[in-house]
Amino acid sequence: RHIAGTPKNSLQEGTTDSNESGTRLRPAEMWTAACRRIPRRAFIPAARSLVGRRPVRALSSAAEMEGYTPPKVWKDKERPGVWGKLNQPYAGARETRDVPRGEHALQLYSLATPNGMKAGIFLEELYDQYKVEYDAWPINISEGDQFTSGFVQVNPNSKIPALLHYTDDLKEPVRVFESASVLLYLADTFDTDHHFVPKDPKLRAECISWLFWQVGAAPSLGGGGFKSFFSADVKIESAIDKYALEVKRQFDVLDRHLGYDLWVLKEYGTFLCTCVRT
């Protein structure tokens, strides 16, 4: 089997990687316990380059911010750092390049970020349960792969993960983007025995509610807001207080309900833990 993103002669079928002591290495050690067949060589190096990078400093110093009056109409300005150059106030492709396609019906385009790995984890669980095969391709978001014409056709919002599903009865593949949508599509399409998502309408609604809870809650806990205020040159007390309060509240939601609601759904825990834990 050719692993996406690696030379065909770099990893033959049935071979495994080992560390210096000769102990067999599993992709789980680099990613997470559920991902055993993800192309580690393709996904992890690109993601590792993002680890340990210092936060991008604000363009203006505290002194320059004094007396700042927000304009009636915001205009774009030059921003420093990798993300400052990549992030632009417009959508669409910036480079003409197709996304690769492998031999299987499912094509995953992602990277080993907390959100990006969710689809890969669940695909591994589907493989263990139903032998669902797929190809995984790295989208290096620090190099702008998400803005190529091929990826924008898969996800107009240029975010990972994204999925293409090729079927015999459709002329064009099904495209699925946004992590929760990908997980739900995969469950609805392949989880025929309801091993991951309950068949019972009440339990299914509970499961999906927690799925979308993490979609709505996660931005407050990570780089979508909370981290940005602490890494900025100018510390705004009211902004930090708002997001610190919200982070504590969201964790209290988990503390109060992990013991009951998710316990009731314990048989389907892999699906939910894929979302909540990452």
Side-chain angles (χ1 to χ4, degrees), residues 1-5 8 13 37-39 99-109 123-124 127 130-137 163-168 173-174 186 190:
R1 182 181 70 252
H2 172 44
I3 292 181
K8 289 190 177 182
E13 184 174 358
R37 301 180 326 114
I38 290 293
V99 291
R101 177 182 175 181
E103 59 181 304
H104 300 111
L106 290 172
Q107 302 293 304
L108 172 65
Y109 304 97
L123 279 166
E124 284 299 303
Y127 175 81
Y130 300 105
K131 301 305 177 186
V132 175
E133 290 278 10
Y134 68 100
D135 295 297
W137 303 93
L163 183 80
L164 287 179
H165 184 198
Y166 292 87
T167 59
D168 295 334
V174 177
L186 290 173
F190 297 102

Side-chain angles (χ1 to χ4, degrees), residues 161-178:
L163 183 80
L164 287 179
H165 184 198
Y166 292 87
T167 59
D168 295 334
D169 56 336
L170 293 177
K171 186 176 181 180
E172 296 293 331
V174 177
R175 73 173 185 184
V176 194
F177 53 90
E178 297 297 334

Side-chain angles (χ1 to χ4, degrees), residues 174-196:
V174 177
R175 73 173 185 184
V176 194
F177 53 90
E178 297 297 334
S179 58
S181 297
V182 172
L183 293 173
L184 193 56
Y185 175 82
L186 290 173
D188 287 345
T189 305
F190 297 102
D191 187 22
T192 54
D193 296 335
H194 299 282
H195 182 79
F196 299 104

Side-chain angles (χ1 to χ4, degrees), residues 218-219 221-228:
L221 308 179
F226 188 63
K227 177 179 178 295
S228 299

Side-chain angles (χ1 to χ4, degrees), residues 2-16:
H2 172 44
I3 292 181
T6 63
K8 289 190 177 182
N9 60 357
S10 66
L11 189 61
Q12 301 299 324
E13 184 174 358
T15 61
T16 58

Side-chain angles (χ1 to χ4, degrees), residues 124-167:
E124 284 299 303
E125 294 294 333
L126 287 172
Y127 175 81
D128 286 345
Q129 187 69 24
Y130 300 105
K131 301 305 177 186
V132 175
E133 290 278 10
Y134 68 100
D135 295 297
W137 303 93
I139 299 298
N140 194 326
I141 57 177
S142 66
E143 295 182 1
D145 289 351
Q146 68 273 33
F147 300 116
T148 60
S149 56
F151 188 80
V152 171
Q153 288 180 343
V154 183
N155 184 358
N157 195 35
S158 295
K159 302 291 184 181
I160 56 170
L163 183 80
L164 287 179
H165 184 198
Y166 292 87
T167 59

Side-chain angles (χ1 to χ4, degrees), residues 63-121:
E64 292 171 332
M65 290 293 291
E66 290 182 2
Y68 172 74
T69 301
K72 291 183 179 180
V73 178
W74 182 87
K75 293 183 178 180
D76 192 24
K77 61 178 76 72
E78 182 180 354
R79 292 171 298 276
V82 174
W83 304 115
K85 293 179 173 60
L86 280 174
N87 294 328
Q88 300 295 332
Y90 54 83
R94 305 176 193 175
E95 176 187 351
T96 301
R97 181 169 23 117
D98 292 334
V99 291
R101 177 182 175 181
E103 59 181 304
H104 300 111
L106 290 172
Q107 302 293 304
L108 172 65
Y109 304 97
S110 195
L111 194 68
T113 66
N115 194 55
M117 69 175 71
K118 293 174 183 176
I121 294 173

